[in-house]
Structure formats: C-alpha cells, structure tokens
Amino acid sequence: MFVAALLAVLASMVLALTRALVGPTLYDRILAINIFGTKTVLLIAVAGFAAGRPDFLDIALVYALINFVGTIAVMRLSHYGDLGAADEEGVL
Amino acid sequence: MSLEAALDIASGCSLLVGSLFVVSGGVGLLRMPDFFSRTHAASLTDTAGAGLILLGLLFQVDDFAQGLRLALIALFLLFTGPTATHALASAALGDGLSPWTRKSGSRR
C-alpha cells in the first residue's frame, strides 16, 4: 500500500508541475509550486516508511516549514517588488 | 483478529483514500477553468489528501517519537495550507484577476 501511495503522490506531482509550467498567471504558478512542495513532504514521509527508515520524517518536517515560508516570501516579492522591508518612515 | 492486522487494514484504507484525494486534487489543479477554482482543488489535496496519508502512516509507527513527528507535520500542513491558499487568492483578487463565471465562458 506504501507503493500505491508513492505512485499516487508522484503522479500528482507531475500534474502540479505541468500546471506550474503551463501557467497562465503568476498566481497559478505559485499555487502549483506550493502544492508541489506539500507533495514533496508527503513523498519523503511515505518513502521513509516504505524503505523502513522513518528517520526521514525529520527531513519532511523541515521541508514543510521551508515550503510555507518560501511560498509567502515569493508572493510578497512578486506583489510588492521587495520582501516587505520598512520604508523611510518605518511603516510597513 | 489481532490488533496488528486491524491496524494494517486501517492504515491501508487511509492510504488508499488519501491517494485518491491527492490524485483528484492534482487532476483538478490541471483541469479547473480558472485560478480561483484551482485553489479549491489545491486546498482539497492539501487537507484531505495529506491528512489521510499521514493518518495512514500514523497507524504504522513503532514508537512515540515517530508518531509525534507525524502529528507535527499534519498540524503544520493543516495550518499552512489554508493560510497560503487564502493569501494567494486574496492577492490575486487584489491584483484584479476576475473569477471565472458561466457567462465569461472561456478558459484562462
């Protein structure tokens, strides 16, 4: 059953990557990459259990954190043109 | 029926249903007509798919530390998935991306 879950996650990753390549808007691409990252977390966790090495869960945990921060950072960068630094008056 | 067999069956069912949700979310991400309906497919695969697959793995853990890590991953995904999707959708709406309606018809 682990192998079935692995194949399902891999197929879904291919679909998400296709959407990220096709676009058409920037938000579609960011959404698709966000979903791709979530699938990567699942892939690492399931692959760890399938290989009998559940230590991989630590890597999945770190990846889940980085994925969320990365999505928000890329979105702010595309929306504001910078990462949301304060201006001269110190206002965000 | 022994406890281990019951846990195996529960784990297999959760993994199978979770895989179905993950694949259908991926198909929806590719096939839905516009960005806002794609966010629906995305959050479906984020919450239901990931939650069920992690639940299926949770039935197979050997010790407490592994279960705690799985629970933490599930908790993070449950918080961050909807937050990222909402932020994306409201940013797209603020940038003037108009939602698809039956009248506007065309794919975009």
Side-chain angles (χ1 to χ4, degrees), chain B residues 43-106:
Chain B
S43 56
L44 176 103
T45 179
D46 246 14
T47 49
L52 278 171
I53 284 187
L54 289 174
L55 184 71
L57 293 182
L58 197 60
F59 287 131
Q60 301 269 0
V61 292
D62 297 329
D63 57 5
F64 178 73
Q66 286 174 23
L68 183 66
R69 279 168 199 151
L70 276 176
L72 274 179
I73 293 174
L75 192 69
F76 277 133
L77 288 184
L78 274 183
F79 273 112
T80 59
T83 309
T85 312
H86 170 78
L88 262 173
S90 82
L93 204 59
D95 278 2
L97 199 67
S98 58
W100 178 85
T101 56
R102 201 175 285 278
K103 254 180 228 163
S104 65
S106 64

Side-chain angles (χ1 to χ4, degrees), chain A residues 1-2 4-9 11-12 15-16 18-19 22-28 30-32 34-35 38-39 41-42 45-46 49 54-55 57-58 60-61 64-65 67-68 71-72 75 78-79, chain B residues 11-12 15-16 19 22-23 25-27 29-32 34-35 38-39 42 45-46 49-50 53-54 57 60-62 66 69-70 72-73 76-77 80-81 83-85 87-88 91-92 95 97 108:
Chain A
M1 202 50 82
F2 286 143
L6 267 182
L7 288 178
V9 172
S12 186
L15 291 172
T18 314
R19 174 49 73 192
V22 170
T25 66
L26 175 71
Y27 296 103
D28 285 306
I30 302 180
L31 181 73
N34 183 26
I35 293 305
T38 309
K39 300 288 164 50
V41 173
L42 286 181
V46 178
F49 271 84
D55 315 328
L57 282 177
D58 288 330
L61 193 51
L65 283 169
N67 183 41
F68 175 64
T71 301
I72 298 295
M75 207 171 63
S78 74
H79 197 72
Chain B
S11 156
L15 281 175
L16 198 65
S19 304
V22 163
V23 170
V27 172
L29 192 66
L30 198 60
R31 297 276 301 163
M32 286 282 191
D34 83 327
F35 169 75
R38 275 173 214 140
T39 57
T45 179
D46 246 14
I53 284 187
L54 289 174
L57 293 182
Q60 301 269 0
V61 292
D62 297 329
Q66 286 174 23
R69 279 168 199 151
L70 276 176
L72 274 179
I73 293 174
F76 277 133
L77 288 184
T80 59
T83 309
T85 312
L88 262 173
D95 278 2
L97 199 67
R108 42 178 298 171

